[in-house]
Amino acid sequence: LFEPADELTATLLKDEIRVCLARFERRVEVKAVDVIADSSNNTFYVNLKFLVIPDDEVQEVSFYLDRLR
């Protein structure tokens, strides 16, 4: 995460998360990806909603992406 924590980078991250899950994790169907930039801390909050195929229950996971160094 060397890019600035802004809306442009948040949008790029959101798109890349969707692409990676579609390419590498075919057991899930992504329902929603939200990425919110926190420029004051140079972090991103990510909320991901998905179905594990063949289940019908939407799962949700949230996490922060930030620089470690």
Side-chain angles (χ1 to χ4, degrees):
L1 294 173
F2 295 104
E3 299 295 325
D6 58 15
E7 289 305 313
L8 175 61
T9 306
T11 300
L12 293 172
L13 277 171
K14 178 180 176 176
D15 294 342
E16 195 61 30
I17 290 168
R18 281 186 172 278
V19 167
C20 287
L21 286 172
R23 183 177 297 152
F24 298 112
E25 189 51 81
R26 296 188 177 157
R27 297 172 292 177
V28 301
E29 178 183 334
V30 176
K31 293 297 186 183
V33 178
D34 295 312
V35 179
I36 301 168
D38 179 358
S39 59
S40 62
N41 294 313
N42 201 34
T43 63
F44 296 91
Y45 172 75
V46 179
N47 185 326
L48 177 62
K49 294 180 184 176
F50 59 94
L51 289 174
V52 178
I53 299 170
D55 294 341
D56 291 332
E57 185 178 339
V58 174
Q59 305 292 319
E60 185 172 2
V61 63
S62 299
F63 53 91
Y64 286 93
L65 294 174
D66 59 347
R67 284 183 70 175
L68 297 177
R69 297 181 190 184

